[in-house]
Every structure is written in C-alpha cells, then in structure tokens.
Amino acid sequence: MTKEVLTRPEVSNALPAAGCLCFDRNRRWRGDPVNILILVLAVLIFLLVLHHNILGLSDLLKRELSGANPLGLQPVDFIPEPPIRLTQDQNDNEIPVVITASEDRLGGVIAAMNSIHQNTKSNVVFYIVSLNDTVEHLRSWLSKTSLKNVKYHLLDFDPHVLDGKVQVDSEVPDSFKPLTFARFYMPNWVPNAEKAIYLDDDVIVQDDILALYNTPLQHGHAAAFSDDCDSTSNKFMVRGAGNQYNYIGFLDYKKETIRKLSMKASTCSFNPGVFVANLTEWKLQNITKQLEKWMALNVV
C-alpha cells in the first residue's frame, strides 16, 4: 500500500495548536491574527534596515565624489603616476644645453644650470663640457644640490685638439683657457641633435629657456646670436682702436686682409656666450673646420 505523504485527512480537520501556522490538505494557509501581525512587523523592520543601509551608502558615495569633476573622474592628486602627456604637453622634445665647466668656475656653472631648471618645465638636458680633472668634482657638486635629479652628461674636452691652432703666450701660460674654444665643436657634444643652445657659465636665465630654443633661424644660417651693442659691461677700449662692442674693437682694420672682408668697423659685435645653433646646417657648412682654419691663420 502506498505511503501517505501528506497529513492524514482526519488529522488535518483537527484544530491547530495555539500559535501554529499550518496548511490544510488543499494547501490553504491559515493562522491567527497575532502571528500575522508578527510577520508583518518583521517584514517592515527588514525594509527599514535595508532603506537605512542604502541611504548610508549613498551619503558615502557623495562624500567620496565631492571633489571629482563633472565626468566623475578622480582628482589628479589621487592618480599615483599621471601620464607624461598631461604634465609636459608639447615640451616632450629634448632641449640640449651645452655649457662649459672649468675647475675655478664651478659655482657659476651650478648657478647657470639652476636658473634654467627653476624657470622651465621643458625637457632640458645639460651637456657639460669640462677638462678631465674637473669631472669628479663637478659630479660631487651636482649630487649635493637640488640639481641632482636633472638630466646631464659630463663630457671631456681634450685640449690637444687645439695644437697648432691657438697661440699660447709662454710668459703667461695660465692665460690659455682651452674651454673657451669648446663652443667651436658643438656637433661633437650633441651629435644626434638638430638644434642646441650654448651658454657661458656666467649666464643667469630669468625666463623659460624654451623661448630661446624656439628662436627661428633663417635658411642657411648655422647659428643665431644677439647683438652686443647694449652690453654696457663690455664697453671698454681695446688697443685704443675702439669699443669692444663693435668690430673695430676686435679687428685690426689697418691690415689689408681685414679690409678685404668688407665688414663695417662700426657694425655691432655679437655675444658669443649665448647662441642657438642649427647643428644640421653647422655640419653641412663644416663650420668647425672653417673656425679651425681661422684659428690657424691667427697663429701665423
């Protein structure tokens, strides 16, 4: 005989025990009013707790996003490493700056580099040309200043490249300053660049050096210099011939070879301590070889 799964009919007709919730054979629910009230109250309490939790979560989200922009992005301060394009914009290109560093003028070099570093956000890379015995001293100086994180290359200048090209006064040997001629060899220091800036170590930059780097050079011009006519510090007499801010202050116009150059004696000279070089044009015109030729002629 098949076993009865549901409650037997005679049992289902009996009155339920007090407080009992049960179903009859036809699955109809029945219970007393007290139990119904308890169930309703439990449902209401659950809904109230759920509502409270949702409101709390909403307030938390509002506080977290209160500093966000309209697009819902986090503030930049919360981004651990912002993309380079957000901080450098169009200044990603390297700006090579060549500067010489002699042992007795390292303080000036540090001051010049610091003035550039403090006034620009551009990607400046320093190419520091020095004599071999100065390299370690300079590296030590840089490591102990705010410039320890700047990009730089230390380059050694070999004075022997000037042999036969520069006349040295045997009576005053210390007057010979090899690094004075380092600027003549610009492509050697920055061989892969198309453009570079040269600065003397006594220059202080008071604005963004990017503006100087962006100086337009006309086609066929290897470098751009500034006129030196307004440089009051250089206005002194030379050999009684004139002021050292025009050509007559540098050239001996008594010589026929000078007069044949057809350069006016009153023409303003230029400041060789600050210039922008088009290194591509410099190489095409072989400017270094031309300068060496003039240096050798000056020795004779």
Side-chain angles (χ1 to χ4, degrees), residues 69-233:
N69 59 33
L71 297 178
L73 298 177
Q74 292 184 1
V76 173
D77 291 344
F78 294 160
I79 302 177
E81 294 183 2
I84 295 177
R85 62 179 179 275
L86 295 181
T87 57
Q88 293 186 351
D89 297 329
Q90 298 179 351
N91 298 335
D92 293 329
N93 294 333
E94 175 182 311
I95 298 180
V97 176
V98 177
I99 187 169
T100 57
S102 59
E103 180 71 25
D104 58 339
R105 297 180 64 87
L106 292 186
V109 175
I110 298 298
M113 293 175 61
N114 189 62
S115 70
I116 296 171
H117 178 63
Q118 295 296 328
N119 288 293
T120 187
K121 294 182 180 179
S122 302
N123 182 23
V124 175
V125 180
F126 295 97
Y127 293 79
I128 309 170
V129 184
S130 64
L131 301 178
N132 189 49
D133 56 358
T134 308
V135 171
E136 291 304 321
H137 191 183
L138 180 57
R139 183 179 285 110
S140 176
W141 268 49
L142 290 172
S143 66
K144 297 176 182 178
T145 68
S146 60
L147 298 173
K148 61 185 178 181
N149 295 322
V150 302
K151 299 178 182 178
Y152 66 89
H153 301 279
L154 295 179
L155 306 170
D156 180 31
F157 182 73
D158 183 6
H160 293 295
V161 301
L162 302 175
D163 290 347
K165 305 179 183 71
V166 178
Q167 188 170 3
V168 181
D169 189 345
S170 59
E171 296 182 0
V172 191
D174 291 340
S175 63
F176 174 56
K177 304 293 183 182
L179 292 177
T180 303
F181 303 93
R183 71 198 77 192
F184 293 174
Y185 299 88
M186 286 290 288
N188 293 29
W189 313 130
V190 198
N192 298 320
E194 295 184 359
K195 196 175 183 181
I197 294 172
Y198 174 84
L199 296 179
D200 274 346
D201 56 16
D202 59 353
V203 172
I204 296 297
V205 178
Q206 297 180 319
D207 207 338
D208 194 338
I209 201 167
L210 179 63
L212 178 61
Y213 182 77
N214 288 335
T215 300
L217 274 72
Q218 297 182 20
H219 179 69
H221 289 193
F225 299 80
S226 64
D227 290 339
D228 211 21
C229 285
D230 295 330
S231 179
T232 56
S233 62

Side-chain angles (χ1 to χ4, degrees), residues 216-269:
L217 274 72
Q218 297 182 20
H219 179 69
H221 289 193
F225 299 80
S226 64
D227 290 339
D228 211 21
C229 285
D230 295 330
S231 179
T232 56
S233 62
N234 288 332
K235 292 183 179 180
F236 56 88
M237 301 300 289
V238 179
R239 297 191 305 275
N243 295 311
Q244 197 172 356
Y245 58 90
N246 51 29
Y247 284 166
I248 197 173
F250 295 94
L251 304 174
D252 187 358
Y253 277 83
K254 296 177 182 179
K255 294 182 178 180
E256 184 179 357
T257 53
I258 299 299
R259 293 196 298 271
K260 285 183 177 180
L261 296 175
S262 300
M263 296 189 299
K264 292 182 179 180
S266 60
T267 301
C268 290
S269 62

